[in-house]
Amino acid sequence: MASEEVVLLDCWASMFGMRVRIALAKKGVHYECIEQNLAHKSPLLLEMNPIHKKVPVLIHNNKPICDDAYQRAQARFWADFIDKKVYDAAWKIWRTKGEEQEGAKKDLIENLKVLENELGDKTYFGGETFGFLDVALVTYYSWFYTLEKLGNLSIEAECPKLIAWAKRCLQIESVSKSLPDSKKVLDFVLGLKQRMGI
């Protein structure tokens, strides 16, 4: 795609795509619409929306959203991913047993690996500065010990870069003073399980 080009990956019947088309028309933005076959998703769609693999996707300057808010929107996207995917898997690990728990463990590790990949070799998710996305995820770190004990897994063995990132975050006073002791979280969850008859 050429610089300054606006592209919309869409499916004509998508009500969500219609919203984007209305907004673009109202703003007078010229764009190329690339119709998507949702039964056979294009490589471009999978590249631009690798997590949800859904339309619509608005691409500006080869990025899946407008440049000005790109970093903030990316952070919000990943925070939402954490609060849905990571939370749901973590919740199921301590609330279920057997096959359902095994599935939750697999989901948790897969989701954490996605986040570890997003972190890459950066110090923090935003680069060299501790920011919004780091705050969104580091709060889960105090629960990792509980998930490991109750789920019989090792997050550090599966996601060592993520654990190294969490330990860097703990060197920040505001983080270390705000997170509860991991063993206290385990005691809390064991008490919850007992009260709930799990």
Side-chain angles (χ1 to χ4, degrees):
M1 287 178 282
S3 179
E4 298 302 326
E5 186 176 25
V6 176
V7 174
L8 177 63
L9 306 183
D10 196 11
C11 174
W12 66 270
S14 167
M15 60 196 74
F16 304 106
M18 292 174 205
R19 292 175 186 170
V20 176
R21 292 193 301 271
I22 290 169
L24 290 171
K26 182 120 176 98
K27 294 284 186 184
V29 175
H30 297 284
Y31 65 97
E32 175 189 359
C33 184
I34 302 177
E35 188 71 20
Q36 298 295 300
N37 178 344
L38 299 181
H40 302 285
K41 296 173 181 176
S42 73
L44 183 60
L45 174 60
L46 297 176
E47 177 190 348
M48 292 293 152
N49 193 356
I51 301 299
H52 298 296
K53 304 175 177 84
K54 294 180 180 178
V55 296
V57 179
L58 187 63
I59 305 167
H60 178 244
N61 287 342
N62 296 319
K63 292 180 181 173
I65 51 177
C66 108
D67 266 344
D68 295 340
Y70 182 71
Q71 296 274 349
R72 282 181 306 204
Q74 285 290 78
R76 284 193 303 270
F77 168 83
W78 287 112
D80 186 59
F81 175 87
I82 291 164
D83 288 343
K84 289 181 178 158
K85 302 278 190 176
V86 176
Y87 177 84
D88 287 349
W91 187 85
K92 287 178 184 172
I93 286 173
W94 72 266
R95 297 227 13 179
T96 63
K97 294 178 181 173
E99 285 184 28
E100 191 173 0
Q101 188 186 58
E102 289 302 313
K105 286 163 50 176
K106 182 176 179 261
D107 289 346
L108 177 70
I109 295 303
E110 283 179 5
N111 293 327
L112 291 177
K113 284 184 176 184
V114 167
L115 289 165
E116 189 175 58
N117 186 57
E118 177 63 18
L119 175 65
D121 293 323
K122 300 187 296 275
T123 304
Y124 300 107
F125 279 94
E128 293 302 312
T129 307
F130 181 81
F132 175 76
L133 186 51
D134 301 291
V135 173
L137 183 57
V138 78
T139 57
Y140 285 78
Y141 180 69
S142 56
W143 281 74
F144 282 4
Y145 178 75
T146 298
L147 300 174
E148 289 177 328
K149 289 293 182 188
L150 298 180
N152 191 26
L153 69 139
S154 171
I155 295 171
E156 186 163 16
E158 297 286 347
C159 303
K161 282 186 176 180
L162 205 60
I163 297 301
W165 158 84
K167 289 177 179 174
R168 279 194 300 278
C169 292
L170 281 174
Q171 293 173 4
I172 299 169
E173 187 177 358
S174 60
V175 175
S176 61
K177 285 189 169 183
S178 300
L179 295 187
D181 179 76
S182 295
K183 291 181 180 173
K184 189 175 177 183
V185 173
L186 177 61
D187 291 341
F188 170 75
V189 171
L190 290 173
L192 273 178
K193 285 170 68 75
Q194 187 176 20
R195 286 193 298 279
M196 297 168 80
I198 299 173

